[in-house]
Amino acid sequence: MKERIRSYLLTNAYLGVPTLEQMAANFNTSPRSLQRKLQDEGVTYQQVADSIRKSLALNYLSSGTYPVKEISYILGYNELSAFSRAFKRWTGTTPGHYQKGQLT
């Protein structure tokens, strides 16, 4: 199930990251059932969604095509500060520093 969700999220990245409820509806199952299936695989939906967000963030920042604020919005963050905190948790650096390092 984890790989099906990862594949769906990557394929539909332009739509943003759906909520657990939206993802469950996509797979014609209940949110609780989806949670249980993922729990059996040792992950949560949030962990899968975060890994996709991290992967997409690194890709977008490396490309240099989008400003950090736009990447934050694309990934479904309402505030730039929330994206910056998540990115720093994932990588140990800020999105701006990461992007500058990739472009030089």
Side-chain angles (χ1 to χ4, degrees):
M1 182 57 75
K2 174 183 156 186
E3 287 309 314
R4 283 182 62 199
I5 291 172
R6 285 182 56 78
S7 176
Y8 177 87
L9 291 173
L10 286 171
T11 303
N12 298 289
Y14 65 95
L15 296 172
V17 177
T19 64
L20 173 67
E21 291 74 18
Q22 292 167 328
M23 183 60 72
N26 246 357
F27 288 111
N28 295 320
T29 188
S30 71
R32 183 66 192 118
S33 181
L34 183 60
Q35 285 176 318
R36 270 195 300 276
K37 288 176 184 175
L38 288 171
Q39 188 177 22
D40 290 345
E41 295 181 35
V43 296
T44 66
Y45 178 69
Q46 191 61 48
Q47 289 170 326
V48 176
D50 275 353
S51 76
I52 295 299
R53 280 187 173 122
K54 176 185 176 185
S55 175
L56 291 171
L58 293 171
N59 185 39
Y60 290 143
L61 288 167
S62 295
S63 76
T65 308
Y66 304 100
V68 173
K69 189 170 185 168
E70 191 170 340
I71 294 169
S72 168
Y73 177 76
I74 290 169
L75 297 177
Y77 289 93
N78 293 330
E79 299 288 331
L80 178 58
S81 60
F83 170 63
S84 294
R85 278 192 307 276
F87 192 85
K88 190 159 187 163
R89 188 177 71 241
W90 298 330
T91 64
T93 189
T94 65
H97 271 116
Y98 182 85
Q99 191 172 45
K100 286 178 188 162
Q102 293 299 304
L103 300 178
T104 57

